[in-house]
Protein backbone atom coordinates (compact mmCIF):
# COMPACT_ATOMS: atom_id res chain seq x y z
CA UNK A 1 0.00 0.00 0.00
CA UNK A 2 1.26 3.46 -0.92
CA UNK A 3 -0.21 6.59 0.72
CA UNK A 4 0.29 10.25 0.01
CA UNK A 5 0.06 12.37 3.17
CA UNK A 6 0.32 16.18 3.18
CA UNK A 7 -0.58 19.25 5.22
CA UNK A 8 -1.58 22.70 3.96
CA UNK A 9 -3.09 24.88 6.66
CA UNK A 10 -3.94 28.54 6.84
CA UNK A 11 -6.90 30.41 8.26
CA UNK A 12 -7.13 33.64 6.31
CA UNK A 13 -8.32 36.84 7.92
CA UNK A 14 -8.97 39.04 4.90
CA UNK A 15 -8.93 42.12 7.16
CA UNK A 16 -5.44 41.37 8.50
CA UNK A 17 -2.30 43.25 7.43
CA UNK A 18 0.02 40.42 8.59
CA UNK A 19 1.92 39.08 5.54
CA UNK A 20 1.67 35.40 4.54
CA UNK A 21 4.84 34.45 2.64
CA UNK A 22 6.07 30.86 2.39
CA UNK A 23 8.42 31.41 5.35
CA UNK A 24 5.38 31.78 7.66
CA UNK A 25 4.43 28.14 7.01
CA UNK A 26 6.19 26.03 9.60
CA UNK A 27 7.50 26.04 13.11
CA UNK A 28 10.99 26.33 11.79
CA UNK A 29 10.94 29.07 9.17
CA UNK A 30 9.25 27.51 6.17
CA UNK A 31 7.55 24.16 5.61
CA UNK A 32 8.99 20.71 6.29
CA UNK A 33 9.47 18.10 3.57
CA UNK A 34 9.68 14.32 3.34
CA UNK A 35 11.46 12.47 6.15
CA UNK A 36 11.94 15.68 8.18
CA UNK A 37 8.17 16.20 8.22
CA UNK A 38 7.47 12.58 9.15
CA UNK A 39 9.98 12.79 11.99
CA UNK A 40 8.55 16.10 13.28
CA UNK A 41 4.93 14.93 13.39
CA UNK A 42 5.18 11.19 14.14
CA UNK A 43 3.72 10.50 17.59
CA UNK A 44 2.23 13.98 18.05
CA UNK A 45 -1.42 14.78 18.77
CA UNK A 46 -1.83 16.44 15.38
CA UNK A 47 -3.67 15.61 12.16
CA UNK A 48 -0.45 14.50 10.48
CA UNK A 49 0.44 12.48 13.58
CA UNK A 50 -2.81 10.52 13.15
CA UNK A 51 -2.32 9.95 9.40
CA UNK A 52 1.29 8.76 9.88
CA UNK A 53 0.18 6.40 12.64
CA UNK A 54 -2.58 4.91 10.46
CA UNK A 55 -0.22 4.48 7.50
CA UNK A 56 2.43 2.77 9.64
CA UNK A 57 -0.21 0.52 11.20
CA UNK A 58 -1.16 -0.60 7.68
CA UNK A 59 2.47 -1.11 6.74
CA UNK A 60 2.05 1.44 3.96
CA UNK A 61 4.78 3.26 2.10
CA UNK A 62 4.42 6.94 3.03
CA UNK A 63 5.11 9.79 0.63
CA UNK A 64 4.91 13.11 2.50
CA UNK A 65 5.82 15.88 0.04
CA UNK A 66 5.14 18.83 2.34
CA UNK A 67 3.88 19.83 5.78
CA UNK A 68 2.96 23.51 5.62
CA UNK A 69 1.01 25.16 8.42
CA UNK A 70 0.95 28.88 9.19
CA UNK A 71 -0.66 30.99 11.91
CA UNK A 72 -3.60 32.97 10.51
CA UNK A 73 -2.91 36.19 8.62
CA UNK A 74 -3.89 38.03 5.42
CA UNK A 75 -4.46 36.17 2.10
CA UNK A 76 -1.65 33.78 1.24
CA UNK A 77 0.99 35.02 -1.21
CA UNK A 78 0.38 33.45 -4.62
CA UNK A 79 3.90 32.07 -4.83
CA UNK A 80 3.55 30.41 -1.40
CA UNK A 81 0.30 28.72 -2.46
CA UNK A 82 1.79 27.66 -5.81
CA UNK A 83 4.81 26.18 -4.04
CA UNK A 84 2.74 24.18 -1.53
CA UNK A 85 0.07 23.04 -4.00
CA UNK A 86 2.82 22.36 -6.54
CA UNK A 87 4.72 20.02 -4.19
CA UNK A 88 1.53 18.06 -3.50
CA UNK A 89 0.50 17.91 -7.16
CA UNK A 90 4.00 16.84 -8.25
CA UNK A 91 3.75 13.92 -5.83
CA UNK A 92 0.28 13.04 -7.18
CA UNK A 93 1.72 13.10 -10.71
CA UNK A 94 4.34 10.53 -9.70
CA UNK A 95 1.32 8.27 -9.14
CA UNK A 96 0.88 4.77 -7.81
CA UNK A 97 -1.08 5.83 -4.73
CA UNK A 98 -3.83 3.78 -3.11
CA UNK A 99 -5.02 6.72 -1.06
CA UNK A 100 -4.40 10.41 -0.37
CA UNK A 101 -4.68 11.79 3.16
CA UNK A 102 -4.76 15.57 3.47
CA UNK A 103 -4.70 17.67 6.61
CA UNK A 104 -6.09 21.05 5.51
CA UNK A 105 -7.60 23.99 7.36
CA UNK A 106 -10.54 24.87 5.19
CA UNK A 107 -10.44 28.69 5.29
CA UNK A 108 -7.46 29.49 3.09
CA UNK A 109 -7.85 32.52 0.87
CA UNK A 110 -4.97 33.29 -1.49
CA UNK A 111 -4.24 36.44 -3.46
CA UNK A 112 -5.99 34.74 -6.41
CA UNK A 113 -8.37 32.12 -4.98
CA UNK A 114 -11.17 32.58 -2.46
CA UNK A 115 -11.16 28.84 -1.72
CA UNK A 116 -7.53 27.68 -1.60
CA UNK A 117 -8.37 24.15 -0.48
CA UNK A 118 -10.96 23.74 -3.24
CA UNK A 119 -8.37 24.87 -5.78
CA UNK A 120 -5.80 22.36 -4.46
CA UNK A 121 -8.34 19.50 -4.57
CA UNK A 122 -9.52 20.51 -8.05
CA UNK A 123 -5.90 20.36 -9.30
CA UNK A 124 -5.33 16.95 -7.66
CA UNK A 125 -8.49 15.56 -9.25
CA UNK A 126 -7.45 16.92 -12.65
CA UNK A 127 -4.27 14.82 -12.39
CA UNK A 128 -5.81 11.79 -10.68
CA UNK A 129 -9.59 11.40 -11.05
CA UNK A 130 -9.99 8.23 -9.00
CA UNK A 131 -7.69 7.71 -5.99
CA UNK A 132 -9.73 8.20 -2.80
CA UNK A 133 -8.93 11.38 -0.85
CA UNK A 134 -9.62 12.04 2.83
CA UNK A 135 -9.49 15.58 4.18
CA UNK A 136 -9.42 16.57 7.83
CA UNK A 137 -10.55 20.14 8.42
CA UNK A 138 -10.69 22.82 11.11
CA UNK A 139 -14.03 23.74 12.69
CA UNK A 140 -13.48 27.22 11.19
CA UNK A 141 -13.73 25.92 7.65
CA UNK A 142 -15.65 28.11 5.23
CA UNK A 143 -16.94 25.34 2.97
CA UNK A 144 -17.22 25.43 -0.84
CA UNK A 145 -18.55 23.07 -3.51
CA UNK A 146 -15.06 22.40 -4.91
CA UNK A 147 -13.89 20.92 -1.59
CA UNK A 148 -16.80 18.50 -1.43
CA UNK A 149 -16.84 17.67 -5.15
CA UNK A 150 -13.15 16.78 -5.29
CA UNK A 151 -12.72 14.75 -2.10
CA UNK A 152 -13.95 11.31 -1.04
CA UNK A 153 -14.47 12.09 2.63
CA UNK A 154 -14.37 15.32 4.65
CA UNK A 155 -14.33 15.41 8.43
CA UNK A 156 -13.90 18.42 10.74
CA UNK A 157 -13.05 19.11 14.36
CA UNK A 158 -15.79 18.84 16.97
CA UNK A 159 -14.03 20.88 19.63
CA UNK A 160 -13.18 24.55 20.03
CA UNK A 161 -10.59 24.91 21.52
CA UNK A 162 -9.35 22.39 19.00
CA UNK A 163 -8.20 19.45 21.08
CA UNK A 164 -9.36 16.80 18.60
CA UNK A 165 -7.12 17.48 15.59
CA UNK A 166 -5.67 13.97 15.95
CA UNK A 167 -9.11 12.34 16.40
CA UNK A 168 -10.50 14.13 13.35
CA UNK A 169 -7.73 13.00 11.00
CA UNK A 170 -7.98 9.50 12.45
CA UNK A 171 -11.71 9.45 11.70
CA UNK A 172 -11.20 10.71 8.14
CA UNK A 173 -8.27 8.33 7.58
CA UNK A 174 -10.10 5.25 8.87
CA UNK A 175 -13.01 5.95 6.51
CA UNK A 176 -10.52 6.31 3.67
CA UNK A 177 -8.87 2.98 4.51
CA UNK A 178 -12.26 1.27 4.58
CA UNK A 179 -13.06 2.82 1.22
CA UNK A 180 -9.76 1.60 -0.25
CA UNK A 181 -10.60 -1.94 0.91
CA UNK A 182 -14.02 -1.70 -0.75
CA UNK A 183 -15.74 -1.86 2.65
CA UNK A 184 -17.39 1.58 2.35
CA UNK A 185 -18.72 3.88 -0.36
CA UNK A 186 -18.72 7.37 1.13
CA UNK A 187 -21.54 9.63 0.02
CA UNK A 188 -21.44 13.28 1.12
CA UNK A 189 -24.12 15.93 1.47
CA UNK A 190 -23.26 19.49 2.42
CA UNK A 191 -25.10 22.73 2.89
CA UNK A 192 -25.02 26.04 4.71
CA UNK A 193 -27.33 28.57 6.28
CA UNK A 194 -26.80 32.34 5.95
CA UNK A 195 -25.26 33.01 9.34
CA UNK A 196 -21.92 34.18 10.73
CA UNK A 197 -21.65 32.79 14.26
CA UNK A 198 -19.54 35.10 16.44
CA UNK A 199 -16.15 33.60 17.34
CA UNK A 200 -16.59 34.49 21.03
CA UNK A 201 -19.80 32.44 21.05
CA UNK A 202 -18.41 29.40 19.21
CA UNK A 203 -16.83 27.51 22.14
CA UNK A 204 -17.80 23.84 22.15
CA UNK A 205 -18.18 23.89 25.96
CA UNK A 206 -21.04 26.39 25.66
CA UNK A 207 -24.58 26.42 24.32
CA UNK A 208 -25.34 26.28 21.40
CA UNK A 209 -22.22 24.74 19.83
CA UNK A 210 -21.87 22.12 22.58
CA UNK A 211 -25.28 20.68 21.74
CA UNK A 212 -24.68 20.91 18.00
CA UNK A 213 -21.35 19.06 18.22
CA UNK A 214 -22.88 16.40 20.48
CA UNK A 215 -25.55 15.88 17.88
CA UNK A 216 -22.89 15.44 15.17
CA UNK A 217 -21.15 12.81 17.28
CA UNK A 218 -24.43 11.00 17.94
CA UNK A 219 -25.15 10.75 14.21
CA UNK A 220 -22.67 7.91 13.82
CA UNK A 221 -25.21 5.80 15.69
CA UNK A 222 -27.81 6.81 13.09
CA UNK A 223 -25.77 5.57 10.16
CA UNK A 224 -23.40 8.47 9.42
CA UNK A 225 -19.74 7.62 8.84
CA UNK A 226 -19.01 11.19 9.93
CA UNK A 227 -21.05 14.35 10.56
CA UNK A 228 -19.43 17.77 10.86
CA UNK A 229 -20.82 21.18 11.71
CA UNK A 230 -18.38 23.96 10.82
CA UNK A 231 -19.01 27.19 12.73
CA UNK A 232 -17.03 28.98 9.99
CA UNK A 233 -14.54 31.81 10.16
CA UNK A 234 -16.28 35.19 10.01
CA UNK A 235 -13.22 37.46 9.60
CA UNK A 236 -13.11 36.51 5.94
CA UNK A 237 -14.92 38.66 3.44
CA UNK A 238 -15.59 35.82 1.00
CA UNK A 239 -18.80 34.46 -0.48
CA UNK A 240 -19.14 31.28 1.61
CA UNK A 241 -17.95 32.55 5.02
CA UNK A 242 -20.13 31.18 7.79
CA UNK A 243 -21.76 28.08 9.18
CA UNK A 244 -21.98 24.89 7.14
CA UNK A 245 -22.47 21.15 7.51
CA UNK A 246 -21.15 18.07 5.76
CA UNK A 247 -22.45 14.58 6.46
CA UNK A 248 -20.83 11.40 5.11
CA UNK A 249 -22.81 8.17 4.90
CA UNK A 250 -22.08 4.76 3.44
CA UNK A 251 -23.72 5.15 0.06
CA UNK A 252 -26.98 6.62 1.40
CA UNK A 253 -27.49 10.04 -0.17
CA UNK A 254 -30.99 10.52 1.27
CA UNK A 255 -29.77 9.83 4.81
CA UNK A 256 -26.81 12.20 4.38
CA UNK A 257 -29.19 14.94 3.24
CA UNK A 258 -31.66 14.29 6.06
CA UNK A 259 -28.96 14.44 8.77
CA UNK A 260 -27.43 17.56 7.14
CA UNK A 261 -30.81 19.30 7.22
CA UNK A 262 -31.37 18.40 10.87
CA UNK A 263 -28.07 20.03 11.84
CA UNK A 264 -28.64 23.13 9.71
CA UNK A 265 -32.14 23.59 11.13
CA UNK A 266 -30.90 23.32 14.70
CA UNK A 267 -28.06 25.81 14.06
CA UNK A 268 -30.43 28.29 12.41
CA UNK A 269 -32.94 28.10 15.24
CA UNK A 270 -30.09 28.78 17.71
CA UNK A 271 -28.75 31.74 15.73
CA UNK A 272 -29.42 34.40 18.37
CA UNK A 273 -27.27 32.49 20.85
CA UNK A 274 -24.32 32.86 18.45
CA UNK A 275 -24.47 36.68 18.76
CA UNK A 276 -21.92 38.27 21.10
CA UNK A 277 -22.79 41.11 23.47
CA UNK A 278 -20.03 43.70 23.75
CA UNK A 279 -18.90 45.43 26.96
CA UNK A 280 -16.84 48.65 27.10
CA UNK A 281 -13.18 48.20 28.16
CA UNK A 282 -13.47 50.54 31.17
CA UNK A 283 -16.47 48.59 32.47
CA UNK A 284 -14.62 45.29 32.05
CA UNK A 285 -11.52 46.47 33.93
CA UNK A 286 -13.59 48.05 36.70
CA UNK A 287 -15.30 44.66 37.08
CA UNK A 288 -11.92 42.86 37.10
CA UNK A 289 -10.79 45.04 40.01
CA UNK A 290 -13.77 43.98 42.11
CA UNK A 291 -13.00 40.24 41.76
CA UNK A 292 -11.33 38.85 44.91
CA UNK A 293 -7.63 38.08 44.35
CA UNK A 294 -6.96 34.37 43.80
CA UNK A 295 -6.32 32.36 46.96
CA UNK A 296 -3.25 30.09 47.04
CA UNK A 297 -3.87 27.26 44.58
CA UNK A 298 -6.43 29.24 42.61
CA UNK A 299 -5.60 30.36 39.08
CA UNK A 300 -5.38 33.93 37.82
CA UNK A 301 -8.11 36.27 36.65
CA UNK A 302 -7.77 36.20 32.86
CA UNK A 303 -8.09 39.51 31.03
CA UNK A 304 -8.92 38.44 27.51
CA UNK A 305 -7.63 40.85 24.83
CA UNK A 306 -9.84 39.18 22.24
CA UNK A 307 -9.73 41.83 19.49
CA UNK A 308 -6.10 40.94 18.77
CA UNK A 309 -5.78 37.17 18.66
CA UNK A 310 -2.92 36.10 16.41
CA UNK A 311 -4.63 32.73 15.99
CA UNK A 312 -7.30 34.59 14.03
CA UNK A 313 -5.04 36.91 12.05
CA UNK A 314 -4.35 39.56 14.70
CA UNK A 315 -1.15 41.58 14.56
CA UNK A 316 -0.65 40.75 18.26
CA UNK A 317 0.86 44.20 18.65
CA UNK A 318 -2.07 46.38 19.68
CA UNK A 319 -1.65 47.99 23.08
CA UNK A 320 -5.13 49.25 24.03
CA UNK A 321 -5.80 46.66 26.74
CA UNK A 322 -2.24 46.67 28.11
CA UNK A 323 -2.27 50.49 28.27
CA UNK A 324 -5.57 50.40 30.19
CA UNK A 325 -4.17 47.80 32.64
CA UNK A 326 -1.18 50.07 33.35
CA UNK A 327 -3.39 53.18 33.58
CA UNK A 328 -5.80 51.52 36.00
CA UNK A 329 -2.90 50.38 38.23
CA UNK A 330 -3.66 46.65 38.23
CA UNK A 331 -0.95 44.74 40.09
CA UNK A 332 0.76 41.34 39.79
CA UNK A 333 -0.11 41.01 36.11
CA UNK A 334 1.49 38.93 33.34
CA UNK A 335 0.75 40.17 29.81
CA UNK A 336 1.12 37.64 27.00
CA UNK A 337 2.22 38.84 24.58
CA UNK A 338 3.19 41.77 22.35
CA UNK A 339 4.67 40.82 18.96
CA UNK A 340 7.59 43.18 18.44
CA UNK A 341 10.82 41.71 17.04
CA UNK A 342 12.49 45.14 17.11
CA UNK A 343 11.79 45.71 20.83
CA UNK A 344 12.95 42.14 21.53
CA UNK A 345 16.33 42.88 19.90
CA UNK A 346 16.69 46.14 21.87
CA UNK A 347 15.97 44.23 25.08
CA UNK A 348 18.45 41.47 24.26
CA UNK A 349 21.10 44.12 23.59
CA UNK A 350 20.46 45.65 27.02
CA UNK A 351 20.75 42.28 28.84
CA UNK A 352 19.08 40.69 31.86
CA UNK A 353 18.81 43.05 34.84
CA UNK A 354 19.13 46.24 32.76
CA UNK A 355 16.51 48.96 32.85
CA UNK A 356 15.10 49.71 29.40
CA UNK A 357 12.75 52.30 27.97
CA UNK A 358 11.06 50.88 24.89
CA UNK A 359 8.35 51.78 22.44
CA UNK A 360 6.39 48.53 22.12
CA UNK A 361 3.68 47.44 19.68
CA UNK A 362 1.58 49.58 17.36
CA UNK A 363 3.96 49.01 14.46
CA UNK A 364 1.64 47.24 11.99
CA UNK A 365 -0.95 49.51 10.40
CA UNK A 366 -4.45 48.04 10.10
CA UNK A 367 -6.06 49.96 7.23
CA UNK A 368 -9.17 47.75 7.11
CA UNK A 369 -10.46 48.63 10.58
CA UNK A 370 -11.23 51.99 12.21
CA UNK A 371 -8.89 53.63 14.69
CA UNK A 372 -5.14 53.90 15.02
CA UNK A 373 -2.92 51.42 16.83
CA UNK A 374 -0.43 53.32 18.96
CA UNK A 375 2.91 52.15 20.35
CA UNK A 376 3.25 52.20 24.13
CA UNK A 377 6.32 53.59 25.87
CA UNK A 378 7.41 51.36 28.74
CA UNK A 379 10.22 51.63 31.27
CA UNK A 380 10.96 48.25 32.81
CA UNK A 381 13.64 45.84 33.98
CA UNK A 382 14.73 42.98 31.72
CA UNK A 383 13.75 39.77 33.48
CA UNK A 384 14.14 36.96 30.92
CA UNK A 385 15.78 36.39 27.55
CA UNK A 386 14.84 33.12 25.83
CA UNK A 387 14.92 31.32 22.50
CA UNK A 388 11.11 31.16 22.45
CA UNK A 389 11.12 27.50 21.45
CA UNK A 390 8.96 25.08 23.41
CA UNK A 391 6.91 21.94 22.96
CA UNK A 392 3.18 21.98 23.57
CA UNK A 393 2.19 20.35 26.84
CA UNK A 394 -1.30 19.81 25.43
CA UNK A 395 -4.15 19.05 25.28
CA UNK A 396 -3.96 21.14 22.09
CA UNK A 397 -1.43 19.74 19.52
CA UNK A 398 0.43 17.88 22.26
CA UNK A 399 4.13 17.46 21.62
CA UNK A 400 4.26 19.79 18.61
CA UNK A 401 7.31 22.07 18.56
CA UNK A 402 6.42 25.78 18.75
CA UNK A 403 8.60 28.78 18.06
CA UNK A 404 7.91 32.31 19.34
CA UNK A 405 11.29 33.42 17.99
CA UNK A 406 13.66 35.29 20.29
CA UNK A 407 11.51 36.29 23.25
CA UNK A 408 11.94 38.39 26.39
CA UNK A 409 10.06 39.37 29.53
CA UNK A 410 10.27 42.92 30.86
CA UNK A 411 8.95 43.83 34.32
CA UNK A 412 7.42 47.24 35.08
CA UNK A 413 7.08 46.38 38.77
CA UNK A 414 3.37 45.69 38.39
CA UNK A 415 3.18 44.00 34.98
CA UNK A 416 5.47 41.38 33.44
CA UNK A 417 5.22 41.84 29.67
CA UNK A 418 6.26 39.08 27.26
CA UNK A 419 7.62 40.34 23.93
CA UNK A 420 7.90 37.80 21.11
CA UNK A 421 9.22 37.68 17.53
CA UNK A 422 6.92 35.09 15.94
CA UNK A 423 3.15 34.84 16.28
CA UNK A 424 2.06 32.17 18.76
CA UNK A 425 -1.28 32.27 20.54
CA UNK A 426 -0.98 31.66 24.29
CA UNK A 427 -3.03 28.49 24.62
CA UNK A 428 -0.48 26.18 26.19
CA UNK A 429 1.04 26.51 29.67
CA UNK A 430 4.51 25.83 28.28
CA UNK A 431 4.59 29.17 26.48
CA UNK A 432 4.64 30.80 29.93
CA UNK A 433 6.97 28.34 31.61
CA UNK A 434 9.55 28.67 28.84
CA UNK A 435 9.73 32.40 29.68
CA UNK A 436 9.92 31.85 33.44
CA UNK A 437 6.35 33.01 34.14
CA UNK A 438 4.08 30.92 36.36
CA UNK A 439 0.53 32.09 35.62
CA UNK A 440 -0.69 30.40 38.82
CA UNK A 441 1.29 32.96 40.85
CA UNK A 442 -0.31 35.96 39.13
CA UNK A 443 -3.42 37.87 40.12
CA UNK A 444 -4.15 38.75 36.51
CA UNK A 445 -2.99 37.30 33.21
CA UNK A 446 -3.67 39.29 30.05
CA UNK A 447 -4.00 36.97 27.07
CA UNK A 448 -4.20 37.80 23.40
CA UNK A 449 -6.57 34.91 22.77
CA UNK A 450 -10.24 34.11 22.39
CA UNK A 451 -11.43 30.52 22.87
CA UNK A 452 -8.19 28.54 22.48
CA UNK A 453 -6.82 29.73 25.83
CA UNK A 454 -9.35 27.33 27.35
CA UNK A 455 -7.19 24.43 26.13
CA UNK A 456 -4.27 25.05 28.46
CA UNK A 457 -5.68 27.59 30.91
CA UNK A 458 -9.43 27.07 30.90
CA UNK A 459 -9.87 25.07 34.07
CA UNK A 460 -7.09 27.00 35.83
CA UNK A 461 -8.55 30.49 35.50
CA UNK A 462 -10.37 31.84 38.56
CA UNK A 463 -12.39 34.15 36.32
CA UNK A 464 -12.35 35.47 32.78
CA UNK A 465 -13.00 39.11 31.92
CA UNK A 466 -13.40 39.77 28.22
CA UNK A 467 -11.74 43.06 27.29
CA UNK A 468 -12.68 44.95 24.13
CA UNK A 469 -9.40 46.30 22.81
CA UNK A 470 -8.33 47.01 19.27
CA UNK A 471 -7.40 44.78 16.35
CA UNK A 472 -8.36 42.98 13.17
CA UNK A 473 -10.09 40.20 15.14
CA UNK A 474 -12.47 42.85 16.41
CA UNK A 475 -15.50 41.42 18.15
CA UNK A 476 -17.49 44.42 16.94
CA UNK A 477 -18.46 43.26 13.47
CA UNK A 478 -19.77 46.74 12.63
CA UNK A 479 -16.06 47.69 12.33
CA UNK A 480 -15.65 45.26 9.41
CA UNK A 481 -16.67 46.17 5.86
CA UNK A 482 -18.08 43.09 4.12
CA UNK A 483 -18.28 43.40 0.35
CA UNK A 484 -18.07 39.79 -0.85
CA UNK A 485 -19.89 37.61 1.66
CA UNK A 486 -23.29 36.44 0.42
CA UNK A 487 -26.11 38.72 1.58
CA UNK A 488 -28.39 38.79 3.38
CA UNK A 489 -26.62 37.04 6.22
CA UNK A 490 -27.40 36.87 9.94
CA UNK A 491 -26.67 38.88 12.03
CA UNK A 492 -25.32 41.52 9.61
CA UNK A 493 -28.70 41.86 7.91
CA UNK A 494 -31.01 40.02 10.33
CA UNK A 495 -32.76 38.09 7.56
CA UNK A 496 -35.84 35.99 8.13
CA UNK A 497 -35.71 32.71 6.38
ZN1 LIG B 1 -10.06 26.92 14.11
Amino acid sequence: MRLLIAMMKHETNTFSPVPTPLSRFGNAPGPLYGEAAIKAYRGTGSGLGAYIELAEREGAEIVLPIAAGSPPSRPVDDDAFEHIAGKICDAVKAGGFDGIMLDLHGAMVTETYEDGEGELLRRIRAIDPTTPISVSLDMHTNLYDAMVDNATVLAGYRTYPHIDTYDTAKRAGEILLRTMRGAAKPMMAWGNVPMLPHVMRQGSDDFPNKELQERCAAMTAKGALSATLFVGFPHADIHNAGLSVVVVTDGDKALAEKLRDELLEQAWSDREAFVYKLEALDTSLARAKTIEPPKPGEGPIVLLDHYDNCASGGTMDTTAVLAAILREGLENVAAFAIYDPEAVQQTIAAGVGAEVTLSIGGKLAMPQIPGESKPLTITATVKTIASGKFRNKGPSSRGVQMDMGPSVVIDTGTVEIALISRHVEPNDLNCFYTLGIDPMQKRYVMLKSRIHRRAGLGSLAKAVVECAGHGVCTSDYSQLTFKNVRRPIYPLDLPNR
Side-chain angles (χ1 to χ4, degrees):
M1 186 190 293
R2 190 169 137 90
L3 293 172
L4 191 159
I5 299 176
M7 174 170 87
M8 179 184 86
K9 286 180 131 162
H10 186 254
E11 180 181 81
T12 305
N13 181 329
T14 62
F15 303 98
S16 172
V18 179
T20 317
L22 185 63
S23 59
R24 192 170 168 82
F25 287 82
N27 290 324
L32 291 171
Y33 305 89
E35 272 305 316
I38 295 172
K39 197 167 163 235
Y41 286 95
R42 181 188 278 134
T44 63
S46 62
L48 278 190
Y51 282 153
I52 293 166
E53 191 179 298
L54 285 176
E56 291 184 339
R57 185 191 76 191
E58 299 294 320
E61 178 196 347
I62 300 172
V63 175
L64 203 162
I66 190 164
S70 158
S73 42
R74 81 178 184 200
V76 177
D77 288 3
D78 273 342
D79 59 359
F81 174 74
E82 291 302 330
H83 174 84
I84 299 165
K87 286 280 175 204
I88 298 171
C89 288
D90 285 349
V92 175
K93 272 181 209 146
F97 293 103
D98 300 292
I100 298 172
M101 295 174 162
L102 300 176
D103 188 29
L104 309 180
H105 185 289
M108 179 192 268
V109 182
T110 74
E111 288 176 306
T112 300
Y113 303 104
E114 204 174 89
D115 169 23
E117 289 85 356
E119 178 60 20
L120 169 70
L121 288 160
R122 195 190 60 70
R123 291 183 190 185
I124 293 173
R125 271 288 169 255
I127 300 164
D128 178 345
T130 54
T131 302
I133 301 173
S134 67
V135 182
S136 52
L137 292 163
D138 192 283
M139 190 189 278
H140 293 107
T141 288
N142 291 322
L143 197 59
Y144 281 76
D145 276 321
M147 291 160 69
V148 183
D149 292 347
N150 295 297
T152 311
V153 53
L154 300 179
Y157 305 160
R158 289 178 180 155
T159 60
Y160 183 29
H162 306 322
I163 54 172
D164 65 334
T165 53
Y166 171 92
D167 301 321
T168 304
K170 183 142 195 277
R171 189 164 71 246
E174 293 280 21
I175 297 168
L176 185 84
L177 291 168
R178 284 177 61 190
T179 307
M180 286 160 48
R181 285 188 215 109
K185 284 198 176 70
M187 184 70 79
M188 290 196 282
W190 87 277
N192 58 24
V193 277
M195 58 189 279
L196 282 175
H198 197 289
V199 176
M200 293 292 285
R201 296 293 306 126
Q202 291 178 351
S204 59
D205 295 321
D206 304 332
F207 172 79
N209 199 20
K210 181 172 190 281
E211 288 72 10
L212 286 162
Q213 297 304 330
E214 283 170 357
R215 193 156 177 188
C216 287
M219 283 180 172
T220 48
K222 292 185 179 176
L225 295 174
S226 175
T228 303
L229 181 134
F230 300 108
V231 283
F233 184 58
H235 288 74
D237 184 22
I238 55 174
H239 188 267
N240 276 12
L243 187 139
S244 64
V245 163
V246 63
V247 177
V248 192
T249 60
D250 191 1
D252 191 338
K253 185 82 176 167
L255 178 64
E257 287 172 350
K258 177 177 166 286
L259 297 176
R260 170 201 66 192
D261 291 345
E262 284 177 25
L263 286 168
L264 289 174
E265 273 162 34
Q266 184 173 335
W268 180 254
S269 70
D270 290 341
R271 62 194 179 280
E272 278 180 54
F274 276 116
V275 177
Y276 180 66
K277 310 240 177 344
L278 288 161
E279 181 181 64
L281 179 55
D282 289 350
T283 312
S284 305
L285 285 184
R287 194 155 55 80
K289 280 182 169 177
T290 66
I291 300 171
E292 282 275 304
K295 297 186 184 71
E298 275 187 330
I301 299 158
V302 168
L303 306 171
L304 203 61
D305 186 359
H306 55 96
Y307 278 41
D308 189 28
N309 172 18
C310 73
S312 297
T315 58
M316 213 179 180
D317 86 332
T318 68
T319 55
V321 173
L322 178 57
I325 287 169
L326 289 162
R327 193 170 60 234
E328 292 295 320
L330 271 57
E331 293 189 347
N332 194 16
V333 186
F336 199 105
I338 301 287
Y339 166 84
D340 193 332
E342 204 179 307
V344 168
Q345 290 306 323
Q346 289 167 351
T347 307
I348 291 172
V352 171
E355 188 182 279
V356 286
T357 296
L358 301 166
S359 171
I360 65 168
K363 293 187 171 78
L364 282 158
M366 298 178 290
Q368 293 208 61
I369 58 157
E372 196 191 347
S373 182
K374 295 195 185 78
L376 190 62
T377 301
I378 300 276
T379 297
T381 305
V382 182
K383 189 192 162 203
T384 307
I385 295 175
S387 73
K389 288 187 171 60
F390 67 95
R391 265 186 206 282
N392 277 329
K393 179 183 167 71
S396 215
S397 297
R398 172 189 48 77
V400 173
Q401 171 82 48
M402 305 299 288
D403 184 3
M404 303 185 287
S407 301
V408 299
V409 178
I410 56 172
D411 186 356
T412 68
T414 55
V415 185
E416 290 186 338
I417 304 167
L419 304 173
I420 64 178
S421 307
R422 281 175 62 86
H423 287 120
V424 172
E425 183 190 359
N427 59 35
D428 193 281
L429 280 172
N430 281 352
C431 69
F432 294 92
Y433 294 149
T434 197
L435 298 183
I437 296 173
D438 181 358
M440 295 299 284
Q441 305 299 321
K442 293 289 167 189
R443 179 169 178 182
Y444 300 101
V445 173
M446 186 206 90
L447 292 179
K448 285 191 179 279
S449 177
R450 295 205 284 206
I451 304 290
H452 279 304
R453 57 95 199 157
R454 293 181 186 177
L457 286 146
S459 58
L460 302 178
K462 176 187 168 80
V464 179
V465 178
E466 294 162 354
C467 298
H470 187 214
V472 293
C473 309
T474 174
S475 288
D476 177 359
Y477 290 178
S478 73
Q479 293 184 342
L480 303 174
T481 305
F482 288 96
K483 295 177 196 150
N484 302 309
V485 73
R486 64 201 187 282
R487 306 299 282 262
I489 193 162
Y490 184 88
L492 304 183
D493 311 300
L494 304 165
N496 292 311
R497 187 163 175 257

